[in-house]
Amino acid sequence: MAERILVTSALPYANGPLHIGHAVEYIQTDIYVRFLRSSGKDVVYFCADDTHGTPIELNAAKQGLKPEDFIARFQDEHQKDFQDLDVRFDYFHSTNSPENRQYAELIYGRLKEKGDIERKDVEQAYCEKDRRFLPDRFIKGTCPNCKSPDQYGDACEKCGKAYSPTDLIDPRCSLCGTPPVRKSSEHLFFKLSRHADFLQELLRKPGFIHPGLAAQLQGFFEKGLADWDISRDGPYFGFAIPGETDKYFYVWLDAPIGYIATTEKWAKETGKAKSALDYWAKDSGARIVHFIGKDIVYFHALFWPAVLDVAGLHIPSEIKVHGHLTVNGEKMSKSRGTMVPVRDYLNQLDPSYLRYFYAANLGAGVEDLDLNLKDFRLRVNGELVNNVGNLANRALSLLAGPLGGKLAPGRSEGPGRALVESVLARIPEVREAFEKLEYRNAIRVITDIASAANAFVQTSAPWAQVKKDAEVARADLSDAADLVYLLGALLAPVTPRLSEKLFAQLGAEPLTFKALEGAKYPLLDRSRPIGTPEPLLPRLEEDRVNAIIVEPPGAVAAVPAPEAKKAEGASKEKKAEKKPAEPAPVTQATSGAGATEAAGSGEIEYADFAKVVLKSGKVLAAEKVAKADKLLKLTVDVGEASGPRTIVSGIAEAFAPESLVGRNVVVVANLKPRSLKGIESKGMLLTAGPGGKDLSLLDPGNVPPGSDVK
C-alpha cells in the first residue's frame, strides 16, 4: 500500500488577522504538499484556528462579544486569506470543536491512567474585585528586568524577557486596575521530566528535526526538563477538565490536539478515512510532518511528542522549522507599518509574486528571510515576469498569430530537441530540491532552464524565420512551447495560478512531476492546436509594491531599506568632505564605458535635441562581459527588420543579467557604434540615478519595440 502522508502547519491564533510573516509558513507548506501531490503521493494537508486562552477571552470582552462570536469572525477572515494566497488545505477546522474536546479528554485520560499527571499548589496573582486568578494577559505591571511600565504578565514587549505574572513590579488587574493579592491554587502538571530518555533518543533520530535545533534543545535537558502546567483556573475560555472543579485545559494542551481533531472532522465529512486514528494510531504506518516556526520548537519537539507517546498515539515523523520574516532588513513592526496584513498585500498584488519570492529565498534551515521590497520587485520582475513570462509570450504569440496556432511534429534531431532533452535530464535536481525543502535551489534550476530557453529562441530568431521559412519557425517555436510546458510543471507547486494559465494557453493538460518520471521529447501533443496566449503577469511597479506598507497615524518613520541607508551614508560622507555641491542626478545615457555625465551643464537648442533618436526596446538576452565588472552585453529588440541589436551597457553593478530579460528600455538608436572589449555596441540605454549600484532603467511602458520616445 502506498505511504500515506499527513502534513500540518501551525495553527494560527484566532485573535487577529494573518500577516505576511505568517504567510511564510503556509506558503512553504503548501508548496511541499503540492509537490508531493504532483509526484503522485497520497497526502493530506490540515490546519485549524487555535481558539482558546486568555488573550481571546480578554479581547472578546473588550469588543463586547462572546468568545465564540469573536473567533468565528477571524476564522472566516483566515480562510478567505488562505484561499486568496492559493494555500489549499484538505480541511481547515477549529480547536473549539466537539472533535477537539473528544481527543483532549481522551489524551488527558490516558496521561492520567499512566500516572503522568501530578497535582501541585501554585501561588498566583488573584483579583478580589473580579474574583479571578490573573494569568498572562489579565495582569499588567512594571517589567522586573528593564523596568518598563505597563507590561503584561508573561513577557515584556520592550526587552523581550519572559517571566511569571508574580514577578511583575506594582502589578494590577488589567480588567479593573485593582492591585492583586497572592493566592494559592492547585494545578495539574504533565510529568515531562519522566520522558527525558525517550526525547533524547527521538532528537537523535535522522530526519526528525534539523540537527542544529536538536543541539539547541539540549539546553533544556542540561538544566532539567520542567513538568508542564496543563491547567488554568476558571473563568477561562477553553475545555473544562473532566473530574475537576473550575479547572480548564491550558491552551497549549488542546492546541496541538487540533491536528488530530481536524483529521477526525475530515474523516467524518469526506469518508476518506474511518477516523483520525487511521493516521494517528501508533501503528498506522502514516508519515506525519509538522511545519512550524522556530519560536514554538519546544512545544512541538519535546512536550507534544511526549504527550502523544504516553497516550499511545503516533508521534510526529518530521518537524520542519523555518525562520522569521524581516522587512527591509528589520524586524516586522506595527508602528512602522511593516507587519503587513495578508489582506493588505492581496489588495495590491497577485499572490504569485510573494509565493515566488519566498520560494526563491527559502532553504531547509531556520535562518530568517528578508522581504526587501526593492529586491522583491527586481527579482520577481527579472525572473518570473521577464524570464518565464517573456519566453511564453514570445513563443506562443508567434505560434498563435502568423502560424495559426498549429504545432510542428517532433524533430529527429536539432538544437531544440537537444535542449528539451537536456532540460528533462535536470528534473531530478528540481525534484530533490523540493523534497529537501531547498526551494531556492529548485528556483535556481528553473531560472537556468528559462534562460536557456530564451537563449534558444533568441538564436533561432523565429520572428525572422516566419517570413523566410514558416515551417522552420514553427518547429523551433514548438520546441520552445515544450519548454514552456515543462516550466509550467516545475513552477506549479510555487505559482499554481500562473501554471494554470500556461497550461490553458498551451491547450494542454496539466503536466505533473509524476508524468515527468517517464517523459520524453516531444512533451506536447503536437497534433493539438495551442490556446490563446496572453500576458501571464504584469510587471511589479514600485509604487504598488511600496503601497503594501501603510504606516499607522503617528507612526515612527519607516526604516529605510539597506540600499537607502547606504545612499544616505554616502551622502553624509560627501558633506563631511566639504566638496562643492553637485547637481542632482538626472536622466542619463548609459553606454559600455560605464561613465555617465549629468545633463544640465549648458543650454542646447531644440534642433540639437531633435538629432537624438529615442526608441523603445525590449531586452531579449543579457550576459556579463568577460573581464569587465561594470559591463553587460545585451540583445535588444528595437523593432528593426534587420533584427535585434547588441548593446554593451555599464549597468552590471545595478542589475543582474537575468533580471533584465524581457525589460522594456529606452534606447538611443542613432548613436555611432563603438567597440567595447571587442564587442561592437550599437546604441545606448537611458537610466536615472547617480551611477554604480544606484541606477534605474527608464521604462517606456507597454509599447511595441521600435516605438518613438519623445
Side-chain angles (χ1 to χ4, degrees):
M1 187 173 72
E3 180 186 41
R4 289 169 301 141
I5 306 169
L6 185 149
V7 180
T8 72
S9 294
L11 312 187
Y13 203 42
N15 194 35
L18 300 174
H19 58 65
I20 57 173
H22 296 130
V24 172
E25 179 173 310
Y26 302 107
I27 288 172
Q28 181 190 39
T29 316
D30 185 74
I31 290 171
Y32 182 67
V33 171
R34 286 179 183 272
F35 163 73
L36 291 178
R37 194 161 283 139
S38 180
S39 299
K41 303 295 185 182
D42 181 353
V43 58
V44 288
Y45 178 22
F46 298 136
C47 196
D49 263 345
D50 179 6
T51 58
H52 292 155
T54 304
I56 284 174
E57 183 183 359
L58 186 62
N59 287 323
K62 286 180 179 177
Q63 297 188 26
L65 296 173
K66 293 180 179 179
E68 292 84 355
D69 296 332
F70 182 79
I71 63 174
R73 186 186 76 186
F74 283 112
Q75 185 168 28
D76 290 342
E77 289 184 12
H78 289 176
Q79 290 190 84
K80 182 68 165 63
D81 286 347
F82 286 131
Q83 181 73 21
D84 293 348
L85 273 176
D86 292 337
V87 173
R88 297 291 183 268
F89 302 112
D90 286 272
Y91 206 92
F92 188 85
H93 201 25
S94 167
T95 60
N96 192 47
S97 66
E99 296 80 15
N100 213 52
R101 183 190 294 273
Q102 170 195 343
Y103 278 96
E105 292 179 354
L106 171 71
I107 288 172
Y108 170 72
R110 291 183 178 181
L111 300 183
K112 194 174 178 181
E113 288 172 8
K114 296 288 182 66
D116 270 275
I117 298 297
E118 184 177 21
R119 297 175 182 273
K120 297 180 185 180
D121 285 337
V122 177
E123 189 178 62
Q124 295 176 276
Y126 182 82
C127 179
E128 293 181 310
K129 182 177 180 179
D130 291 311
R131 296 185 179 183
R132 67 182 300 158
F133 286 96
L134 303 177
D136 307 330
R137 302 258 152 170
F138 275 99
I139 187 170
K140 279 190 170 185
T142 299
C143 171
N145 181 57
C146 70
K147 306 302 186 288
S148 295
D150 207 35
Q151 298 302 311
Y152 285 110
D154 51 357
C156 178
E157 293 182 341
K158 295 293 184 182
C159 70
K161 181 77 172 180
Y163 42 71
S164 169
T166 55
D167 294 333
L168 283 172
I169 300 169
D170 298 327
R172 68 185 187 279
C173 173
S174 60
L175 295 177
C176 67
T178 302
V181 298
R182 297 286 186 94
K183 190 173 181 179
S184 182
S185 175
E186 188 178 69
H187 277 238
L188 303 173
F189 286 76
F190 170 64
K191 294 181 180 179
L192 184 64
S193 56
R194 295 177 59 179
H195 306 285
D197 291 343
F198 160 74
L199 292 171
Q200 285 278 34
E201 183 179 350
L202 181 61
L203 291 176
R204 289 191 290 268
K205 182 181 176 183
F208 174 68
I209 198 168
H210 191 281
L213 289 171
Q216 289 180 24
L217 288 168
Q218 292 305 311
F220 291 104
F221 296 94
E222 291 167 5
K223 60 185 179 183
L225 286 180
D227 293 339
W228 191 254
D229 188 346
I230 64 166
S231 62
R232 288 295 184 266
D233 294 289
Y236 185 83
F237 183 54
F239 296 137
I241 300 177
E244 302 295 328
T245 301
D246 210 24
K247 299 290 181 188
Y248 293 79
F249 288 126
Y250 176 42
V251 62
W252 262 108
L253 177 80
D254 72 56
I257 293 172
Y259 301 138
I260 303 175
T262 304
T263 313
E264 181 74 16
K265 181 69 171 177
W266 166 81
K268 286 179 181 176
E269 293 211 352
T270 65
K272 294 182 179 180
K274 293 179 182 177
S275 74
L277 296 180
D278 283 8
Y279 288 87
W280 289 95
K282 183 166 282 188
D283 59 355
S284 72
R287 177 155 65 101
I288 295 175
V289 185
H290 291 319
F291 280 75
I292 61 168
K294 63 183 180 181
D295 54 330
I296 54 174
V297 170
Y298 174 89
F299 304 103
H300 281 78
L302 299 180
F303 174 70
W304 176 233
V307 166
L308 288 170
D309 186 60
V310 174
L313 296 172
H314 194 321
I315 64 172
S317 310
E318 303 165 41
I319 298 177
K320 308 295 189 183
V321 186
H322 61 84
H324 295 151
L325 182 73
T326 58
V327 178
N328 289 336
E330 300 286 343
K331 183 179 179 181
M332 289 194 300
S333 165
K334 287 184 179 179
S335 64
R336 297 184 187 277
T338 55
M339 192 170 286
V340 181
V342 164
R343 185 52 50 188
D344 284 3
Y345 171 89
L346 292 170
N347 286 340
Q348 293 291 336
L349 302 171
D350 190 291
S352 300
Y353 301 124
L354 194 67
R355 290 178 65 101
Y356 181 86
F357 186 80
Y358 282 175
N361 288 278
L362 276 170
V366 295
E367 63 270 21
D368 292 345
L369 184 157
D370 185 46
L371 178 62
N372 178 287
L373 296 187
K374 180 180 178 183
D375 290 347
F376 169 58
R377 177 170 52 84
L378 293 180
R379 184 158 194 180
V380 168
N381 282 344
E383 295 177 3
L384 189 62
V385 179
N386 296 339
N387 203 3
V388 175
N390 183 58
L391 172 69
N393 187 54
R394 287 201 292 169
L396 303 187
S397 294
L398 282 170
L399 275 170
L403 296 174
K406 182 181 177 182
L407 296 168
R411 294 188 279 196
S412 59
E413 59 182 5
R417 175 173 182 151
L419 179 57
V420 173
E421 291 176 341
S422 69
V423 167
L424 285 172
R426 300 198 69 181
I427 302 304
E429 291 180 63
V430 181
R431 188 186 304 277
E432 182 182 23
F434 278 128
E435 286 173 346
K436 294 183 175 180
L437 302 189
E438 289 290 352
Y439 297 165
R440 56 194 172 197
N441 290 345
I443 295 298
R444 176 183 54 79
V445 176
I446 291 168
T447 55
D448 284 350
I449 292 170
S451 296
N454 272 300
F456 164 70
V457 173
Q458 180 60 32
T459 301
S460 59
W463 52 86
Q465 284 288 354
V466 165
K467 300 175 183 177
K468 300 175 184 177
D469 190 330
E471 293 312 308
V472 169
R474 189 189 310 278
D476 288 337
L477 289 168
S478 297
D479 290 342
D482 257 15
L483 294 166
V484 171
Y485 193 32
L486 183 58
L487 286 168
L490 301 184
L491 282 170
V494 179
T495 53
R497 66 174 63 185
L498 182 144
S499 293
E500 288 171 8
K501 289 180 181 179
L502 284 176
F503 297 146
Q505 291 180 28
L506 287 163
E509 293 296 317
L511 181 61
T512 65
F513 276 88
K514 180 68 175 175
L516 284 171
E517 289 177 6
K520 295 181 180 179
Y521 172 89
L523 295 172
L524 287 164
D525 179 354
R526 300 291 182 91
S527 66
R528 295 178 58 179
I530 68 166
T532 303
E534 58 183 26
L536 293 173
L537 281 173
R539 287 173 49 79
L540 280 175
E541 300 300 335
E542 186 174 6
D543 58 342
R544 291 291 298 277
V545 172
N546 292 340
I548 69 173
I549 294 180
V550 181
E551 293 181 6
V556 179
V559 177
E563 295 81 9
K565 286 184 177 178
K566 185 171 181 181
E568 181 183 353
S571 175
K572 289 179 179 177
E573 289 175 6
K574 288 180 180 179
K575 290 180 181 177
E577 294 170 1
K578 297 183 179 180
K579 290 185 178 180
E582 297 179 0
V586 296
T587 301
Q588 302 166 355
T590 306
S591 71
T596 58
E597 181 179 351
S601 57
E603 294 181 348
I604 64 172
E605 297 291 339
Y606 176 78
D608 295 323
F609 173 74
K611 295 177 183 178
V612 181
V613 177
L614 301 178
K615 297 283 187 181
S616 66
K618 182 181 287 291
V619 180
L620 304 178
E623 61 184 88
K624 291 183 177 180
V625 175
K627 299 180 181 180
D629 293 340
K630 297 181 179 180
L631 302 185
L632 294 180
K633 177 185 175 184
L634 309 173
T635 302
V636 184
D637 179 6
V638 289
E640 295 171 321
S642 57
R645 296 188 183 200
T646 296
I647 297 176
V648 179
S649 184
I651 58 175
E653 292 179 277
F655 299 97
E658 61 271 14
S659 72
L660 295 171
V661 176
R663 290 283 297 267
N664 294 326
V665 293
V666 177
V667 177
V668 180
N670 63 335
L671 193 68
K672 184 177 179 180
R674 62 181 298 195
S675 179
L676 294 161
K677 293 293 183 180
I679 304 170
E680 187 178 42
S681 179
K682 298 181 179 180
M684 186 178 283
L685 306 187
L686 294 189
T687 67
K693 295 181 179 180
D694 297 314
L695 279 178
S696 296
L697 283 169
L698 265 67
D699 189 338
N702 293 321
V703 294
S707 300
D708 290 332
V709 178
K710 300 180 180 179

